[in-house]
Structure formats: structure tokens, C-alpha cells
Amino acid sequence: MELIGRMMDGSIAYDPEGRLEAVVSGPGAKQEDKIERLKEVSLFEECSQRQLRSVARIARVFDVAAGTVLTRAGEPGDEFFLIMDGTARADVSADKHVLLHPGQFFGEMSLLDGGPRSATVVAETSIRLLVISRRHFSGLLREVPGLIQTILVTLSQRVRQAEERADRLGRSSTGP
């Protein structure tokens, strides 16, 4: 996992007291809490309750300190992150920064292709994250019938919406 890898390479300070270990109890760590949070994610919005349970089973909850770099632009992505509590900052470019709040997510494409990150994301505050690793997600796709189809339909809808927005923007920039 990228987060664990960062602890090992020193880019995230390793805390032997366990503050970066997966949270196994408490708010947000229960299966039902994970399922409720996953329902809010567009990638999973068409999933059945059974499929969501399977995804929640592989998701881990992490508490991370403010200032922690969660992803770096250009580096390969191995994880999906859903913000449960706290705030993160996505540095999309030198002059474009976006605040991410609870319920927002990043790294969803990494679950599918492991491609390079498009932004550097840093925890602005202490933050609780729901994290899904690409390795576990790939295994889940093999184990849960229909999950691939559900995700492909969702991604297809997102591509169509993006094309429609681009088309509208293109028409409005050329004028009447």
C-alpha cells in the first residue's frame, strides 16, 4: 500500500505508537459505517448492498496527522481514499489548490489502472480515511460477480457526462 510504503521510505513519519495503523474500532471503523460512506462514492453508487459489503470488507480506516502527504503528483497510485473526517488539500497545479472535505474522495482511477497521480494531496487537519488498496480491489473484482459490470456502467456514465460538459463548453466559447 502506498501509505505503508511512505511510512517505510520515510516520506510519512512512522509513529511506533500506532497512530498510522488501521483503526479497528470506534467511529467509522464498523462495516455498516463503511458501507454508508461507500454509498456516497460515485464509483460505487450503482452497487448492490451485497457488493458494497464486499468492498467495505477490504476497506481499512486510517487516522493520519495534519501535514501528512497522502499522494504525490506523478507517482504511481495504488490506493483509493475517502475522507471520513477532517480536511485535505489537493494541489492540482502550482496555482490550483482544492480543499477536500468529508465525503469527498480521490484516487479512484488508481483502483483500476495504477497510473500516475494527477495531484499531490496533503492532510490539512488530522484526518480519518477509508482506504482501499488496488491489490485487494483487483482480487475483489475476481471474487464478486457483477462488480466489474456495475463499475463499468458507472464509468461509462461519467465519461458521457464529461463529454457533454466539454461539448457545452466548446459551444459556449465559440459564441452564438
Side-chain angles (χ1 to χ4, degrees):
M1 285 177 41
E2 187 174 324
L3 190 60
I4 303 302
R6 292 194 182 290
M7 287 169 37
M8 300 304 250
D9 73 10
S11 59
I12 293 178
Y14 174 70
D15 179 3
E17 300 301 314
R19 283 181 280 190
L20 291 181
E21 290 183 14
V23 176
V24 293
S25 63
K30 295 180 180 78
Q31 284 300 97
E32 289 307 313
D33 292 337
K34 292 179 189 179
I35 290 168
E36 288 305 309
R37 297 298 181 113
L38 289 168
K39 284 180 181 177
E40 301 168 9
V41 176
S42 58
L43 185 64
F44 304 121
E45 67 189 1
E46 298 296 324
C47 287
S48 68
Q49 191 69 14
R50 185 179 197 178
Q51 290 169 336
L52 286 169
R53 260 194 314 276
S54 297
V55 175
R57 191 176 60 246
I58 64 167
R60 299 290 176 257
V61 177
F62 287 88
D63 286 334
V64 180
T68 301
V69 176
L70 302 168
T71 68
R72 289 189 196 281
E75 291 185 359
D78 291 327
E79 294 168 320
F80 161 86
F81 299 88
L82 171 62
I83 299 173
M84 299 178 79
D85 292 303
T87 305
R89 183 188 74 245
D91 299 329
V92 180
S93 66
D95 52 341
K96 184 175 181 187
H97 312 283
V98 179
L99 283 180
L100 303 172
H101 302 282
Q104 293 183 295
F105 57 90
F106 53 97
E108 68 274 19
M109 298 310 293
S110 294
L111 284 179
L112 304 173
D113 68 4
R117 300 286 189 182
S118 59
T120 296
V121 180
V122 179
E124 281 282 297
T125 65
S126 298
I127 193 167
R128 178 165 278 196
L129 299 163
L130 187 68
V131 180
I132 300 173
S133 76
R134 184 169 182 242
R135 181 174 58 92
H136 289 120
F137 191 71
S138 294
L140 185 66
L141 291 176
R142 289 189 296 274
E143 295 169 15
V144 179
L147 186 56
I148 290 174
Q149 177 69 27
T150 301
I151 289 171
L152 286 175
V153 167
T154 300
L155 290 175
S156 177
Q157 291 169 346
R158 289 176 68 185
V159 168
R160 288 182 195 278
Q161 290 167 354
E163 287 173 342
E164 289 171 7
R165 280 192 304 273
D167 187 45
R168 282 193 307 272
L169 285 172
R171 283 195 308 258
S172 68
S173 68
T174 58

